[in-house]
Amino acid sequence: MQHHSVIIAGGGPGGLGVAATLEGWHPRFEGDYEFPSPEVQTFARTHEQNPLAFDPHELLERGHRPIDFYRMRHHPIQGALPLEEWTLKFTKNDRVDWLMFTTEGPGGLWNNTPKEQMTLGPAHWMELAHYPIGKFYEQTDRDRDINALIHRNDLVPYYQAFAEELGLNDHIRSGVKVTNVSPADENIEARFIVEAVDQTTGLDIKYSCDYVVFGVGPRSSIRKLDAHGTDQNYVSLAYTHPEDYPGERVMVVGGGRSADWAAQELHDAGKIVVYVMRQKPESHLKLINESQFLPYYQRWGEILDGEQERMGLLYESNVTVFESGGLATISTNKGRIQLQVDHAVVEIGGDPDYEILRSYSDLTFHAKRDNFRFQLNQLVVDQATFESVDIPGLYPAGYSAQGTGLSVIGFHAGCFLIAGDILRKSGAI
Ligand SMILES: Cc1cc2nc3c(=O)[nH]c(=O)nc-3n(C[C@H](O)[C@H](O)[C@H](O)COP(=O)(O)OP(=O)(O)OC[C@H]3O[C@@H](n4cnc5c(N)ncnc54)[C@H](O)[C@@H]3O)c2cc1C
């Protein structure tokens, strides 16, 4: 059985940030920076050449959040900082022996979003600090504003360029799904056994390692709609683009941001849309009203203010059966109805695949919701290192760690806490 010091599960923004730091790209602070707290400022100045080397519990014990220590240097102001004003820099050091298994290539779930998906926030919020997105735009002759929303057709190439630029690709095994993480037997000199399956060949893979970075993302286990007939050929379990759905009448099942996106894009492409949601109208309207800073929610406002001839909204409703030929039965608060559609798109989100950790019982979770309507259970972690409180040596990265916002800008700096802890524990710094 092959052994690696660290195995990273998941090649999204969460996993990639840790990979780059373990590859040897260590942060340092340089120039004229100022933390709001004089105590933190002194810490930073003392350790500015190698902040990963000090134990961030020292900050935590004094009431400062270690993740903010790095986030404040990466995003010191609301807007994007011009490249020449960055005080967060990187020095290349020796690499740690890490290997990544990921079902998708670099970029995580952005590889599978709708074809025209834009982010909810500006491009620089999606950035991983080791390779600024402004530099990527410059190097690839993209004439873009880093303070504007970014299209997934720019974002996925950015994450791919990140892996290329920082020399990560030789250690990334794409098309490999981690199926189980378990404690290693006493006769093996390692802490974990990681089992995986190669999705192309179907072959099982088994590695041992000392540390696991768990970055499989918020959609690694897609929710299942509780309805009969979801295997009918007119039912799609993810939305892509209006052209992928022939015919005029499309039903969208969901109610969160992804379903809103699908329903609106289908509507604006000229389809007749029936949008089936479990939630009450007040709750949907609240999301629309609170999201008016986003162009596609302004458009929702226009659709609702208009005559809505091609947008039928069914609140407090559930699809119960999809029959052959496009006949769908819906249970509404006014009784049962049947509708004939050409296509149905189910967009009900997913959860992190914690089944991978089934060998560990009684995991401690933190229920997290955010203003963007994302919700999931996060693993409770040591806030100084992001090490799981239940599984020593396992580090949830990205969304699944407690104490991060549900956005890349919210969780990215966690990669320095994770990599720093692994480097200190393995004696590499
Ligand atoms: C429609 C949509 C819009 C969004 N908009 C924004 C936004 O504007 N700003 C923002 O910050 N966030 C946004 N998000 C949230 C998004 O989750 C983050 O941007 C980011 O992708 C999360 O990073 P991650 O690394 O935690 O997970 P992911 O990006 O999901 O990456 C994890 C990857 O792990 C891999 N994987 C999964 N299971 C396994 C397994 N068993 N074994 C091996 N590999 C596995 C997959 O390739 C997966 O893609 C949006 C999400 C969606 C769905």
Side-chain angles (χ1 to χ4, degrees):
M1 185 164 37
Q2 273 198 44
H3 178 87
H4 289 277
S5 179
V6 187
I7 289 187
I8 303 174
L16 285 176
V18 183
T21 319
L22 293 177
E23 186 57 26
W25 299 98
H26 295 182
R28 64 176 202 278
F29 305 155
E30 204 175 87
D32 194 16
Y33 59 84
E34 192 75 43
F35 282 88
S37 148
E39 195 174 32
V40 177
Q41 177 73 8
T42 306
F43 256 96
R45 283 288 178 212
T46 312
H47 300 283
E48 64 180 9
Q49 278 313 305
N50 191 5
L52 295 184
F54 84 87
D55 181 350
H57 286 103
E58 292 186 47
L59 285 174
L60 197 60
E61 281 154 14
R62 289 168 173 78
H64 305 290
R65 280 171 49 73
I67 190 168
D68 286 340
F69 182 71
Y70 291 101
R71 191 158 43 203
M72 277 178 195
R73 293 278 50 80
H74 184 197
H75 294 286
I77 55 170
Q78 178 72 14
L81 204 62
L83 280 177
E84 58 283 4
E85 289 175 33
W86 276 48
T87 56
L88 176 62
K89 310 269 184 184
F90 289 85
T91 312
K92 180 69 173 83
N93 293 272
D94 290 343
R95 68 182 303 272
V96 165
D97 169 31
W98 64 272
L99 183 72
M100 177 186 283
F101 293 136
T102 179
T103 49
E104 256 73 57
L109 64 72
W110 289 93
N111 288 283
N112 287 324
T113 58
K115 289 179 188 164
E116 300 300 338
Q117 184 73 49
M118 304 290 294
T119 53
L120 304 172
H124 71 101
W125 287 10
M126 307 304 289
E127 168 184 270
L128 310 182
H130 316 67
Y131 179 53
I133 214 156
K135 193 169 170 192
F136 164 73
Y137 281 171
E138 256 174 48
Q139 287 181 340
T140 56
D141 289 329
R142 283 172 159 85
D143 185 14
R144 308 275 195 275
D145 176 1
I146 41 178
N147 284 300
L149 307 188
I150 172 168
H151 192 285
R152 47 98 65 190
N153 289 353
D154 284 333
L155 193 55
V156 174
Y158 163 68
Y159 291 126
Q160 288 167 343
F162 178 92
E164 178 66 32
E165 191 78 11
L166 300 173
L168 311 183
N169 282 332
D170 285 349
H171 313 285
I172 298 179
R173 305 275 178 274
S174 298
V176 179
K177 185 179 168 86
V178 174
T179 51
N180 192 19
V181 174
S182 56
D185 289 346
E186 277 164 16
N187 56 355
I188 296 176
E189 258 188 64
R191 185 149 30 185
F192 296 106
I193 300 296
V194 174
E195 290 167 69
V197 59
D198 183 316
Q199 295 184 303
T200 315
T201 60
L203 286 178
D204 290 330
I205 299 167
K206 211 177 201 185
Y207 279 58
S208 63
C209 64
D210 304 315
Y211 303 97
V212 168
V213 176
F214 185 77
V216 296
R219 288 191 149 205
S220 37
S221 173
I222 292 294
R223 288 187 198 123
K224 289 197 173 62
L225 185 70
D226 185 16
H228 295 286
T230 49
D231 55 349
Q232 295 284 354
N233 61 5
Y234 66 92
V235 181
S236 302
L237 299 180
Y239 173 71
T240 48
H241 191 266
E243 283 174 7
D244 298 333
Y245 310 105
E248 267 206 312
R249 290 167 68 90
V250 185
M251 175 192 289
V252 176
V253 183
R257 288 187 183 271
S258 298
D260 280 351
W261 180 279
Q264 181 186 118
E265 210 177 57
L266 288 160
H267 172 269
D268 287 353
K271 307 271 184 195
I272 297 168
V273 180
V274 181
Y275 188 3
V276 182
M277 290 168 263
R278 279 198 313 204
Q279 65 191 322
K280 294 185 173 175
E282 305 85 87
S283 155
H284 192 217
L285 286 175
K286 184 166 180 282
L287 177 66
I288 292 169
N289 290 335
E290 286 174 359
S291 307
Q292 288 300 306
F293 60 96
L294 290 166
Y296 81 96
Y297 274 100
Q298 288 166 11
R299 177 72 190 120
W300 258 111
E302 286 170 15
I303 293 172
L304 295 184
D305 288 345
E307 291 176 4
Q308 290 184 51
E309 280 173 4
R310 286 183 292 103
M311 175 70 80
L313 298 160
L314 284 177
Y315 293 106
E316 296 177 76
S317 301
N318 289 297
V319 181
T320 52
V321 188
F322 295 103
E323 284 176 46
S324 61
L327 191 66
T329 306
I330 304 163
S331 154
T332 76
N333 57 1
K334 297 201 173 67
R336 208 179 64 127
I337 59 171
Q338 284 199 310
L339 285 177
Q340 185 73 43
V341 295
D342 296 310
H343 217 96
V345 173
V346 179
E347 268 292 352
I348 55 171
D351 296 294
D353 188 357
Y354 292 127
E355 190 48 26
I356 295 168
L357 306 178
R358 61 189 169 278
S359 303
Y360 302 87
S361 53
D362 294 334
L363 296 180
T364 322
F365 290 105
H366 166 76
K368 172 81 182 176
R369 281 168 182 268
D370 80 350
N371 297 339
F372 292 120
R373 197 59 97 73
F374 290 117
Q375 54 185 66
L376 80 161
N377 282 333
Q378 296 176 318
L379 287 165
V380 175
V381 296
D382 177 335
Q383 290 299 305
T385 59
F386 278 30
E387 185 177 25
S388 158
V389 295
D390 301 307
I391 312 174
L394 182 130
Y395 298 81
Y399 263 39
S400 46
Q402 176 215 6
T404 63
L406 297 185
S407 57
V408 176
I409 191 177
F411 69 66
H412 168 55
C415 75
F416 302 118
L417 303 180
I418 296 172
D421 200 47
I422 294 174
L423 288 163
R424 289 189 304 277
K425 282 183 175 151
S426 55
I429 47 173

